[in-house]
Amino acid sequence: MPSASGTAPGKLPFVVWVLAAGTFLMGTTEFVIAGLLPEMASDLDVSVSHAGLLITAFAVGMIVGGPTMAMATLRLPQRRTLVLALSVFALGHVVAALSTSFTIVLAARVITALATGAFWAVGFVIATAAAGPGNSTRSVGLMMGGLTLANVIGVPIGSLAGQLTGWRGPFWALAVLSVLAAAFVGRFIPRTEQRGKVSVRAEVRALRQGRLWLALAAAVLIMGGVLATYTYITPLLTDRAGIVSRAVPLVLVAFGVGALGGTAIGGRLGDRRPMATTITAAAATALVLLALVPLSSGPVAAIVLVFLMALAGFTVNPVVTSLAVRFAGDAPTLTSALTTSAYNTGIAVGSALAGRALDSSLGLTGPAMVGAVMAVLTLLPLIALALPLGDTPRRARIVGQRATLIPVPDDKAVSAPSHR
């Protein structure tokens, strides 16, 4: 029996795969800079630490620009928004590749981040709608899998290409690939009418849901916990575990593979048992991060724990993203953008706290301890989400413009109250 989306059960629509390809490109451009910093710093005549602002600028652009661009494009047809986002994304890379000014490259990174935020916000909404209620978390997992795959394949290839052709080479490649992605989006994303029925007021009203903010809090904490450790994983591996520096990239690939596996697991299980999946995965993440403190002195144990950290931590992401979009009901665009901002906020906060812990008496194990604490704190909003709501036991209220009953596994029905 076909799903609500018109796709056979268990099979995701092709449009979701197209959107995942877009997130792969955008994930690559966000993280490939880390492998190109020395070359970019030398060519643009700035210090390596100053060149690091190119990473910070992108994160800030995603945090602030995602919700802003989501609201700015709210009335545009979804397909046009995606094509425009990819076009601006391509233009930003062309400008950066042609420039010899660090300031211009920095501005291009901010513009690219704004386009990325718009793409993610609309892309999540299209993916969940196309897949139908029974596969919504899986579709989000596939889109986020594109981002994770960027760390496994896109970033290493981009870094290698940068070593061979200079840092501008990967920028030109990303510009060309994003133009091709725009053509695919224009061909395969269904045409929709102008979104005139969706109002800014409805989008903002969706933010009144306490359960929505619980899901966003979980996104901030789990991503902050994992990335707090990952940001400073290299000194832990080399100075504590005794792994030679040239082997560190292989360990990072193991992290990427674990993240990809966790995203797939979350996407598969999240539609059937969302709360059980997230609570178990967050608890496992905390345990793994705690284990890193005493066990990271051995190279084998360190590598295994880095893999498990990514596997457990990234299992939470697609589920809480899908829940946040569901809690927004008929006004999901701003909420979708806020989930992207939440993840980037977690990265920024977690990395900052980990840096302080690294300089404290905790030393090399400080970031892992910070990550463990944040993973434990993730359990608080997740457990609150799992609790029944007073007079509506075993139901979760979702904002919507009309009363519907959306079936959600995990033995729960999600009620969307009407608004007058």
Side-chain angles (χ1 to χ4, degrees):
M1 181 179 177
S3 68
S5 63
T7 304
K11 185 177 181 181
L12 293 177
F14 183 67
V15 296
V16 180
W17 293 90
V18 173
L19 293 170
T23 60
F24 171 82
L25 294 177
M26 293 177 175
T28 298
T29 202
E30 181 171 7
F31 298 112
V32 74
I33 294 292
L36 303 175
L37 276 183
E39 291 80 6
M40 296 186 73
S42 176
D43 190 51
L44 297 173
D45 195 25
V46 296
S47 66
V48 173
S49 60
H50 194 62
L53 290 175
L54 296 172
I55 299 175
T56 304
F58 196 96
V60 172
M62 287 286 288
I63 293 170
V64 178
T68 303
M69 294 305 297
M71 300 307 291
T73 60
L74 190 61
R75 297 296 181 88
L76 290 178
Q78 292 173 327
R79 183 172 67 177
R80 184 183 303 175
T81 299
L82 293 179
V83 172
L84 283 173
L86 286 165
S87 300
V88 173
F89 183 86
L91 181 62
H93 284 80
V94 170
V95 170
L98 291 174
S99 178
T100 58
S101 167
F102 176 79
T103 301
I104 293 177
V105 175
L106 187 69
R109 287 286 288 174
V110 174
I111 293 171
T112 302
L114 295 178
T116 301
F119 183 93
W120 274 70
V122 177
F124 276 137
V125 175
I126 293 177
T128 53
N135 284 319
S136 61
T137 304
R138 188 180 168 203
S139 68
V140 170
L142 181 61
M143 274 195 67
M144 298 186 75
L147 176 64
T148 308
L149 193 63
N151 285 292
V152 181
I153 298 177
V155 171
I157 291 178
S159 298
L160 178 61
Q163 299 294 329
L164 298 176
T165 66
W167 68 267
R168 300 175 194 274
F171 275 67
W172 282 113
L174 285 165
V176 172
L177 290 173
S178 56
V179 170
L180 292 176
F184 268 84
V185 166
R187 171 66 178 83
F188 292 105
I189 299 297
R191 182 177 181 179
T192 57
E193 298 297 325
Q194 185 176 3
R195 292 182 280 172
K197 294 182 179 179
V198 181
S199 68
V200 173
R201 180 179 297 179
E203 293 286 338
V204 174
R205 188 168 58 226
L207 302 184
R208 297 176 182 175
Q209 288 292 303
R211 297 175 76 76
L212 165 62
W213 291 101
L214 288 173
L216 293 176
V220 170
L221 290 167
I222 193 65
M223 183 59 71
V226 173
L227 268 295
T229 308
Y230 180 72
T231 300
Y232 298 100
I233 199 66
T234 297
L236 181 74
L237 295 174
T238 56
D239 298 344
R240 181 170 169 81
I243 297 174
V244 294
S245 59
R246 63 178 177 272
V248 169
L250 297 178
V251 182
L252 300 185
V253 169
F255 175 90
V257 172
L260 188 62
T263 302
I265 293 171
R268 286 282 183 177
L269 300 181
D271 284 313
R272 297 194 297 270
R273 306 285 294 182
M275 302 321 304
T277 300
T278 52
I279 291 173
T280 301
T285 304
L287 291 174
V288 170
L289 290 170
L290 280 174
L292 262 176
V293 175
L295 300 180
S296 57
S297 57
V300 174
I303 294 172
V304 171
L305 289 172
V306 166
F307 169 79
L308 293 177
M309 171 182 73
L311 184 70
F314 277 77
T315 297
V316 179
N317 296 348
V319 187
V320 294
T321 300
S322 180
L323 287 175
V325 173
R326 293 187 199 181
F327 292 147
D330 290 340
T333 306
L334 179 57
T335 297
S336 180
L338 285 173
T339 59
T340 304
S341 296
Y343 288 126
N344 281 275
T345 300
I347 292 172
V349 173
S351 299
L353 292 175
R356 288 181 175 273
L358 186 68
D359 293 333
S360 72
S361 59
L362 293 172
L364 294 173
T365 61
M369 183 63 70
V370 169
V373 171
M374 295 186 76
V376 170
L377 291 176
T378 306
L379 292 170
L380 298 179
L382 291 177
I383 292 173
L385 281 173
L387 295 175
L389 290 180
D391 60 341
T392 55
R394 307 180 70 80
R395 290 179 181 269
R397 294 190 181 276
I398 290 183
V399 175
Q401 293 178 340
R402 58 185 181 275
T404 57
L405 189 66
I406 306 172
V408 173
D410 201 20
D411 301 324
K412 293 185 179 181
V414 181
S415 174
S418 60
H419 288 267
R420 296 178 176 85

